[in-house]
Amino acid sequence: MFLARFLARRLAQGALIVFLVSALIFTLLRVVPGDPVRLMAGGMAPEALIEEIASDMGLRDPIYIQFGRYIGGILQGDLGQSFVRPANGAAVGGASFDDSTRSERAEVWTLIAETAPMTLQLAVLAMAFALLIALPIGIWGGLRPGGWPDRFALYISSVFVSLPNFWLGIVLALLLSVKLKLVPAIGYEGFAYTILPAFVLAIEIAPFIIRTLTVSVAGVMSQSFIDIAAVRGLTRNQIIFRHALKNSSVPLLNLLGVQFSMLLGGVLVIEFIFDYPGLGLLTINAVMQRDFPLIQGIAIVTAAAFVLINIIVDLAATTIDPRLEY
Amino acid sequence: MSLDMVQTKTLLSVRNLTVTLTGEGRDVLKDVSFDLAPRQILSVIGESGSGKTVLARALASWLSEPLAVTGGEILIEGRDLLKDPAYARTLAGREIAYVGGNPAGALDPTMTVGAQLVEKLRAVRPEISAADAREKAIRLLEAVKIPAAERRFHEYPFQYSGGMMQRAMIVDALMSDPALLIADNITQPLDVTVAAQILKLMRELNEDFSTAVLFICSSLPVACDAADEVMVLHDGRVVERQAPDALIDTPQHGYTHKLIEELPTLWAEGRDQAQPQDRDRRAIMSVRGVAKHYETRSASGKALVQAVRNVEFDVFPGDNFGIVGESGCGKSSLMRLLTGLERPDAGSIFFEDENVGEASPKRLRALRRKFQLVLQDPYGSLPPQSAIGAILEEPLKIHAIGNRAERRDRARAAMSEVGLPTDLYDSLPTGLSAGQRQRLNVARAMVLEPRLLIMDETLSALDQTEQGKLLNLFERLQAQHGFTYIFISHDLTMVRQVCSRIAVMYLGETVEVAPNERLFFDPGHPYSRALLSAAPTLEERRYRPEDCLMEGEPPSPIDLPPGCAFAGRCPQAFDRCLTENPRLRSRGGQALAACHLNDPGES
Ligand SMILES: Nc1ncnc2c1ncn2[C@@H]1O[C@H](COP(=O)(O)OP(=O)(O)OP(=O)(O)O)[C@@H](O)[C@H]1O
Ligand code: SF4
Ligand SMILES: [Mg+2]
């Protein structure tokens, strides 16, 4: 029963958030300078033609009407069509203003559906690498606060944090891919192409996980139920693995939720460097081409993903610590 | 083989045990020796800091930095735990069980109590199956009188009240049928009625499960009540050991002597507490029909917690007014209303003709100069980073009183008045003892020269000797400054010593308001009688617990029964009590009580 009410409440809240995000993005895109029609049609197109295309596409209607139309579309699962991309692939060049291609422009939904799984794959792998690195270091540091594992955790986090991701990406690509030919780096022709960018991302987020873990494990270890557990006769392994880690996992979960959201929404630099065909690359191109429907679509989909991740994290947290279920 | 099967005369024998604080090189326990027979209950008493907890931890092999055993032996069955840590580890939680005074944080908050009881038993006795362990846990939860044990087994620690949690910890200790139970101050955090139940329970368990008990506590009456023999610890040394009666009659050591002599009494007659009761005086604080509820979310949606209901009393200038009741009865919520920190949902609170409940925030700030609050917790209520002088000057600064030099003088004057050395002016409060901290709290409250001081459990963290000193201080300050005090407390003995009039609260209501003598010798409410019967004392009891109190705990303030809130535990309850809530009525002589038995038509 709790679950149903929780989900109903959170999904309603989430829908509201997504609505507000789309309203904000929609308005912002229409007030920034630069006319997308001019870009689409090319600098040479006559003013009258541009006006015609624009009013054809409804771009000269008042914003709230455009927005209403757009939301109506979303409710039917239609995110609109890209201004720039044809259905068959490469972006449409700026110079052609041949109106007949309009009907073959790509569906935003299809574009996102093609690239999102790539980003998801990258994010999951990056998260797995990050946990693999951070869990042992963080837990160990938390179990010996002030000791050398704690200092080690701190130093290694500082090193990781101070490596700029583009630099690390380029260095690793040169070293592992070009020199040693261990893993491929640029573009995407199979799963192996995910490994290097995922590793770079993992190095970027691992310090946050390590930090959160050392703090929360150390905090839990100093609580009285841990102290008393030994007197109650529990073994050290039981104390650490059954009680300490479980109790310190709630802050970790929250952090992982945030990090995962960031991975889904904002791996722009890494996807760009590795030319990885995910949402990040799609976003960069959409922004450079002023492809409003695509930008909007990506924003809405990522906002919805954030909301869902948040709900899942909270649900998992209340399962672990029932006190959070209020 | 279980240890208690072995036929030996002594279960535990401690020889010349010395424990040292390694940093300072100070001995905390000095040459402690004693024996404990199987099935025996031995009380250990001593003032705060005498080393009781250190002894308990040493026996449970639970000493940690900076404490270390530097000499002696702890023999169980003739084997020295200190020389054989592996043996000590096999005993921990199995043959030697420990229950502490802070049940609140003792179990993992993310696992059900039942699961942890099972986990513990299976950790020390892996041969027992999970199903058997579960069955045993439920049986023991029933044995310690946890209502609906089967259901409670599946609940989380935060769903238990303090008293229930302490009982669950006793179950945890008894799960493995230990030969020795070390109970360190287990009744200290509990209300008197619950503490009385726990003591009774411990005696029964001692008989049923033949466990020897080392019962550590800081209250002489409780120690004598609980044990076959009492051992007195003073400054880390065992100074005497006798049966309770003999100890009271012929104490051997000066400390014991002094402890017995200064023991506050409940029933001794002829105290000169009676204040001049001049009823023409105007009340300084007058509370009428005050109520406050809070909204909480519970499993089944929103719920109303009725924290305070139907509270009525008057406090007159120069009064020492006491408010007593068990934890959760709404004392602290009432305190927040009295000080204007929150506003009541109904009723009025007049302080010198001004309604605190409706005063504007600005007026309230001005009024707060005249009534000050001194809080319970001597540790949490002081900012650790400010110097003592700065702490005392802060209220003066807030109210823009005096210039720097004047404020400094007033702070120093307040320090010397409460007995804090003035050369502590620049030091941080971290080094102060609990008693000194409470003095500082009192000084901070009185620099503004208030008319009314509200003391919320101000003394409950202090031991008997320190309490006595502070009570003398309060009396002196009252004589000098004409303060009026409201003491909010669960400690009847303290209230008996200092208060002229007392209000008894139960589940948010004032069920009785009466002058001191009247309340103690002619209580008008069955709950007051139950409280009196449960109060720890060495005197002959006027009220027997068996007659006055039924098992159980107060109902939750969320789903209150329709009639009298006490009906579930009241031995005298009758039909009318279940349907109609009694109102506060006069019993003559300034005494009021809310019970149908006082209705001339009944009884
Ligand atoms: N962890 C510790 N670090 C430093 N000093 C300690 C520590 N534990 C105890 N002490 C010191 O050992 C002495 C005995 O303390 P202990 O806690 O045994 O007193 P107690 O008799 O249990 O007091 P109370 O009645 O307040 O519980 C005190 O002087 C105390 O300051
Ligand atoms: S009203 Fe009834 S139940 Fe309540 S205290 Fe009086 S006799 Fe007991
Ligand atoms: Mg102690």
Side-chain angles (χ1 to χ4, degrees):
Chain A
M1 205 63 282
F2 163 78
L3 188 67
R5 264 190 301 121
F6 174 88
L7 282 181
R9 194 181 77 230
R10 295 296 302 270
L11 286 173
Q13 280 173 4
L16 183 68
I17 291 171
V18 172
F19 176 79
L20 292 176
V21 167
S22 43
L24 189 70
I25 296 276
F26 199 89
T27 322
L28 278 179
L29 285 182
R30 267 138 195 89
V31 297
V32 292
D35 189 347
V37 184
R38 165 71 58 194
L39 258 119
M40 286 162 60
M44 315 298 281
E47 199 61 34
L49 179 62
I50 287 186
E51 277 311 306
E52 197 193 312
I53 297 176
S55 29
D56 240 25
M57 294 169 65
L59 289 178
R60 293 298 180 261
D61 295 338
I63 286 189
Y64 63 89
I65 293 192
Q66 292 184 38
F67 185 62
R69 200 158 47 219
Y70 184 67
I71 291 292
I74 291 181
L75 289 180
Q76 292 160 23
D78 177 13
L79 289 173
Q81 293 171 332
S82 164
F83 281 171
V84 204
R85 288 165 182 260
N88 53 14
V92 177
S96 89
F97 51 91
D98 180 11
D99 205 22
S100 65
T101 55
R102 279 256 308 129
S103 53
E104 287 148 42
R105 286 179 199 280
E107 287 290 328
V108 167
W109 180 247
T110 321
L111 288 173
I112 293 178
E114 276 165 8
T115 44
M118 302 299 300
T119 292
L120 195 64
Q121 176 179 324
L122 179 60
V124 169
L125 194 65
M127 198 48 96
F129 282 159
L131 287 175
L132 225 54
I133 299 169
L135 280 179
I137 299 178
I139 292 171
W140 202 17
L143 290 178
R144 304 234 190 305
W148 70 263
D150 188 18
R151 282 198 302 274
F152 175 73
L154 187 67
Y155 295 149
I156 202 139
S157 306
S158 319
V159 172
F160 285 176
V161 162
S162 52
L163 294 176
N165 57 7
F166 62 88
W167 178 85
L168 184 68
I170 293 167
V171 167
L172 287 182
L174 286 177
L175 193 71
L176 299 181
S177 181
V178 178
K179 264 248 158 68
L180 301 175
K181 307 222 180 314
L182 284 177
V183 282
I186 310 296
Y188 188 83
E189 277 154 39
F191 181 75
Y193 286 79
T194 319
I195 295 175
L196 206 48
F199 186 73
V200 175
L201 285 170
I203 296 292
E204 199 180 336
I205 56 180
F208 299 98
I209 303 179
I210 293 176
R211 188 79 209 120
T212 306
L213 262 178
T214 43
V215 171
S216 65
V217 169
V220 171
M221 287 307 286
S222 69
Q223 286 188 15
S224 58
F225 71 87
I226 295 288
D227 196 17
I228 292 173
V231 185
R232 291 174 59 223
L234 301 196
T235 63
R236 183 152 174 91
N237 278 344
Q238 278 177 318
I239 295 172
I240 292 176
F241 291 103
R242 237 187 267 162
H243 298 285
L245 292 190
K246 187 176 178 201
N247 274 273
S248 30
S249 60
V250 169
L252 179 67
L253 257 176
N254 286 324
L255 176 83
L256 292 186
V258 174
Q259 297 284 7
F260 200 71
S261 301
M262 274 172 37
L263 285 179
L264 287 187
V267 288
L268 304 179
V269 177
I270 295 303
E271 290 194 2
F272 185 70
I273 291 176
F274 288 94
D275 194 24
Y276 186 89
L279 273 179
L281 201 56
L282 191 66
T283 311
I284 294 177
N285 289 331
V287 168
M288 296 203 297
Q289 294 166 335
R290 288 218 163 61
D291 193 348
F292 288 2
L294 189 51
I295 299 177
Q296 277 157 208
I298 294 173
I300 290 171
V301 168
T302 27
F306 287 9
V307 165
L308 283 182
I309 290 173
N310 236 307
I311 294 176
I312 293 169
V313 164
D314 286 354
L315 210 54
T318 46
T319 318
I320 292 174
D321 188 347
R323 284 173 301 175
L324 300 171
E325 174 184 316
Y326 51 90
Chain B
M1 179 175 51
S2 174
L3 290 180
D4 59 0
M5 314 257 297
V6 184
Q7 286 303 312
T8 38
K9 272 279 170 38
T10 55
L11 168 69
L12 163 75
S13 105
V14 176
R15 291 282 163 269
N16 311 99
L17 181 67
T18 301
V19 174
T20 311
L21 258 175
T22 44
E24 310 167 27
R26 175 165 65 95
D27 286 348
V28 186
L29 286 185
K30 299 160 192 161
D31 222 7
V32 169
S33 301
F34 68 94
D35 288 339
L36 185 64
R39 292 183 184 76
Q40 194 183 16
I41 302 186
L42 174 64
S43 275
V44 180
I45 65 159
E47 64 190 329
S48 183
S50 57
K52 304 183 296 292
T53 299
V54 172
L55 175 63
R57 284 178 157 248
L59 297 183
S61 314
W62 192 26
L63 283 184
S64 55
E65 284 290 305
L67 294 163
V69 175
T70 46
E73 298 175 316
I74 300 173
L75 302 164
I76 295 254
E77 293 294 302
R79 284 171 77 175
D80 187 356
L81 299 190
L82 300 171
K83 291 217 184 64
D84 195 350
Y87 179 57
R89 258 198 306 281
T90 63
L91 294 185
R94 194 161 68 109
E95 296 299 349
I96 303 180
Y98 175 95
V99 184
N102 181 13
L107 287 183
D108 185 338
T110 66
M111 262 170 92
T112 62
V113 173
Q116 297 188 62
L117 294 176
V118 171
E119 179 192 27
K120 178 228 152 105
L121 179 55
R122 306 239 301 144
V124 293
R125 296 200 192 280
E127 71 277 7
I128 294 178
S129 78
D132 288 349
R134 187 194 126 95
E135 201 177 297
K136 179 162 196 186
I138 294 178
R139 192 156 40 84
L140 283 176
L141 286 173
E142 274 162 4
V144 299
K145 309 265 168 29
I146 287 195
E150 190 103 25
R151 180 167 59 84
R152 292 289 185 179
F153 179 89
H154 296 288
E155 288 190 353
Y156 290 89
F158 71 93
Q159 290 165 298
Y160 278 50
S161 71
M164 271 165 43
M165 200 56 213
Q166 188 62 295
R167 279 182 265 184
M169 291 317 292
I170 293 177
V171 169
D172 185 80
L174 294 176
M175 278 299 276
S176 58
D177 299 322
L180 170 63
L181 172 67
I182 302 168
D184 185 3
N185 241 340
I186 54 171
T187 57
Q188 195 251 336
L190 303 176
D191 290 313
V192 281
T193 59
V194 179
Q197 287 174 19
I198 296 254
L199 281 188
K200 193 164 137 236
L201 178 78
M202 206 189 64
R203 277 233 168 246
E204 287 168 15
L205 293 173
N206 169 252
E207 278 157 26
D208 296 351
F209 298 93
S210 58
T211 300
V213 184
L214 192 73
F215 186 81
I216 293 172
C217 94
S218 47
S219 152
L220 186 59
V222 174
C224 291
D225 219 23
D228 308 321
E229 276 190 285
V230 180
M231 183 165 93
V232 182
L233 210 58
H234 180 58
D235 193 20
R237 283 180 207 283
V238 176
V239 293
E240 69 177 297
R241 174 175 175 172
Q242 297 197 58
D245 295 339
L247 185 82
I248 303 300
D249 291 342
T250 53
Q252 301 298 311
H253 190 264
Y255 169 70
T256 326
H257 217 78
K258 186 160 148 277
L259 200 63
I260 296 171
E261 207 146 71
E262 289 176 355
L263 194 69
T265 53
L266 282 173
W267 316 115
E269 299 259 12
R271 58 187 59 248
D272 50 353
Q273 272 309 324
Q275 303 260 327
Q277 293 292 334
D278 171 9
R279 280 307 107 168
D280 296 339
R281 289 176 307 164
R282 299 272 297 285
I284 184 171
M285 184 168 258
S286 178
V287 180
R288 286 289 168 273
V290 161
K292 176 84 193 171
H293 55 252
Y294 301 99
E295 236 174 52
T296 58
R297 284 213 208 133
S298 72
S300 53
K302 284 197 182 122
L304 276 191
V305 179
Q306 308 206 321
V308 175
R309 314 173 289 150
N310 313 329
V311 168
E312 308 219 356
F313 57 80
D314 288 313
V315 182
F316 295 95
D319 244 354
N320 287 332
F321 191 79
I323 300 177
V324 293
E326 295 176 281
S327 77
C329 76
K331 296 185 302 257
S332 297
S333 311
L334 179 63
M335 176 274 292
R336 286 198 296 275
L337 296 176
L338 296 185
T339 48
L341 292 172
E342 279 173 15
R343 292 172 190 273
D345 299 324
S348 59
I349 300 167
F350 278 95
F351 175 76
E352 296 187 328
D353 301 326
E354 195 153 356
N355 192 339
V356 176
E358 285 165 8
S360 67
K362 195 162 157 244
R363 256 327 275 161
L364 213 51
R365 261 198 301 282
L367 277 177
R368 285 227 183 88
R369 258 190 79 174
K370 299 200 208 154
F371 55 80
Q372 284 287 316
L373 184 65
V374 184
L375 283 175
Q376 171 171 23
D377 171 17
Y379 290 92
S381 55
L382 292 171
Q385 309 299 349
S386 312
I388 290 170
I391 292 175
L392 289 175
E393 286 170 32
E394 197 191 321
L396 295 172
K397 267 194 203 147
I398 291 173
H399 288 275
I401 296 169
N403 58 29
R404 269 181 90 150
E406 282 164 4
R407 287 202 288 263
R408 197 182 160 89
D409 288 345
R410 272 172 86 155
R412 283 172 172 277
M415 284 176 76
S416 60
E417 263 197 285
V418 300
L420 282 178
T422 40
D423 47 339
L424 288 176
Y425 183 88
D426 287 316
S427 31
L428 295 178
T430 20
L432 299 185
S433 74
Q436 284 179 317
R437 280 161 183 267
Q438 279 311 34
R439 285 169 197 270
L440 176 54
N441 273 326
V442 172
R444 174 162 68 162
M446 57 173 277
V447 283
L448 287 170
E449 293 170 1
R451 303 246 292 125
L452 176 67
L453 280 163
I454 301 177
M455 310 280 200
D456 187 3
E457 298 279 12
T458 305
L459 301 177
S460 49
L462 306 179
D463 69 11
Q464 183 196 319
T465 319
E466 196 59 32
Q467 273 195 13
K469 287 188 202 151
L470 271 161
L471 288 177
N472 289 340
L473 170 69
F474 293 161
E475 204 176 316
R476 210 181 67 228
L477 294 176
Q478 185 167 46
Q480 278 166 7
H481 300 270
F483 292 151
T484 304
Y485 292 119
I486 295 180
F487 290 97
I488 299 178
S489 175
H490 70 273
D491 181 357
L492 278 171
T493 323
M494 192 279 273
V495 167
R496 171 71 172 145
Q497 303 312 303
V498 292
C499 293
S500 44
R501 288 188 325 121
I502 297 157
V504 179
M505 285 183 76
Y506 187 72
L507 271 178
E509 285 180 305
T510 39
V511 293
E512 175 156 12
V513 183
N516 189 327
E517 293 282 309
R518 186 81 187 270
L519 178 70
F520 281 81
F521 288 92
D522 175 26
H525 196 282
Y527 176 62
S528 309
R529 214 169 300 137
L531 273 184
L532 292 176
S533 76
T537 176
L538 291 178
E539 298 157 89
E540 193 172 335
R541 294 182 174 279
R542 285 181 62 92
Y543 309 101
R544 297 196 313 153
E546 303 86 285
D547 306 337
C548 299
L549 185 65
M550 310 212 314
E551 291 290 344
E553 295 188 39
S556 132
I558 293 176
D559 29 40
L560 282 173
C564 173
F566 189 55
R569 299 166 81 193
C570 178
Q572 279 128 296
F574 56 104
D575 306 345
R576 194 175 157 200
C577 308
L578 298 176
T579 52
E580 189 188 334
N581 193 12
R583 307 179 55 100
L584 211 54
R585 285 163 194 267
S586 172
R587 302 168 58 227
Q590 298 158 25
L592 304 156
C595 170
H596 292 314
L597 290 176
N598 296 319
D599 212 354
E602 301 286 352
S603 79

